[in-house]
Amino acid sequence: MRPNPDYALEDVERIRDLVRENPWATMITSVPGRGIVASHYPMLLDEEADGIVLLSHVGRPDERLHELGAHETLVIVSGPQGYISPGWYRTSPAVPTWDFAVAHLYGVAEILSDEDNLSVLERLVDRFEDALPVPFRMNGTLENAEYAARIVHGTVGFRMRVTRFEAKEKMSQDKSPGVVRNIVDALRAEGPYSNAALADRITRVNADRLEHGR
């Protein structure tokens, strides 16, 4: 990722938030003799661990394609992103840009036992079911618990402690508060580039500047 200190995201807790809010991630591994291998899976944070520790599982045979545990893996987590038109700035001169949040997380995966893999599966289900009015629970019935215990063998769970990361959050921080407000209004309006999630993040990142006019 091209280094740019103006948009660097270095706070570990903010990166943890990025993972929580955007769990669908891309896994990339460079495997000797095979080249680049990429897969896509939801990720959880190990909330009880210090730093950034990811939990997930992959379907067989993805663990063999990646050779999980033998090489460093890159996990890419992306937040809200979108096109920013210079026509929204109401200033001149101006050029278009793209606002985004992304983190590159590196580490070596630790393969989990079947028992721990089953626990991760249950946590994944709970993570996404909790928001529903009637959440489905993997062990809600004996029949379903037995079924889950059988199918878990078709997956491989892993835990990955992030040992290094590169992250960037470009949310129009280089623009004046007035221009930021114009961008946010345009993103919230109906149109081809309507993007409420990006508008919310731009507002959050620039909250202090918007409040104090800096």
Side-chain angles (χ1 to χ4, degrees):
M1 194 184 315
R2 182 172 71 90
N4 189 326
D6 290 340
Y7 307 124
L9 181 54
E10 299 175 333
D11 183 85
V12 168
E13 193 53 45
R14 287 177 63 191
I15 294 173
R16 284 165 60 92
D17 283 340
L18 190 68
V19 176
R20 291 185 187 105
E21 296 166 7
N22 304 276
W24 185 248
T26 299
M27 294 173 50
I28 301 174
T29 309
S30 179
V31 179
R34 185 177 294 132
I36 301 297
V37 180
S39 300
H40 311 272
Y41 287 97
M43 300 283 169
L44 290 179
L45 280 173
D46 185 344
E47 299 286 0
E48 298 173 1
D50 294 330
I52 305 169
V53 178
L54 304 176
L55 294 170
S56 190
H57 66 190
V58 300
R60 297 183 188 272
D62 267 9
E63 89 287 359
R64 295 195 298 273
L65 293 174
H66 283 272
E67 295 185 359
L68 282 181
H71 313 288
E72 187 176 57
T73 295
L74 163 63
V75 174
I76 300 177
V77 178
S78 298
Q81 51 78 30
Y83 177 72
I84 306 298
S85 169
W88 301 340
Y89 299 169
R90 301 179 199 167
T91 62
S92 183
V95 294
T97 191
W98 206 279
D99 278 1
F100 63 91
V102 67
H104 292 182
L105 311 175
Y106 298 86
V108 178
E110 170 196 352
I111 304 300
L112 300 178
S113 66
D114 284 348
E115 181 181 0
D116 287 341
N117 183 24
L118 189 60
S119 176
V120 168
L121 175 59
E122 185 172 14
R123 290 168 68 173
L124 277 165
V125 171
D126 288 347
R127 160 69 174 81
F128 300 108
E129 287 288 328
D130 282 348
L132 298 177
V134 183
F136 172 88
R137 300 304 180 194
M138 196 178 72
N139 293 316
T141 66
L142 179 61
E143 179 185 25
N144 208 76
E146 292 174 346
Y147 175 69
R150 291 197 304 272
I151 67 167
V152 76
H153 297 293
T155 68
V156 174
F158 69 89
R159 182 178 191 266
M160 190 183 100
R161 175 170 292 281
V162 175
T163 53
R164 62 189 180 97
F165 63 82
E166 300 171 300
K168 190 182 292 187
E169 186 167 50
K170 181 178 178 296
M171 293 289 159
S172 296
Q173 298 99 313
D174 59 333
K175 304 296 187 296
S176 70
V179 169
V180 172
R181 291 188 186 94
N182 293 340
I183 291 170
V184 168
D185 288 345
L187 289 169
R188 294 196 190 283
E190 293 185 6
Y193 298 114
S194 179
N195 191 331
L198 182 57
D200 288 345
R201 194 164 192 99
I202 291 173
T203 300
R204 186 166 63 188
V205 169
N206 292 282
D208 185 66
R209 296 175 58 238
L210 291 173
E211 181 180 355
H212 298 99
R214 293 196 299 268

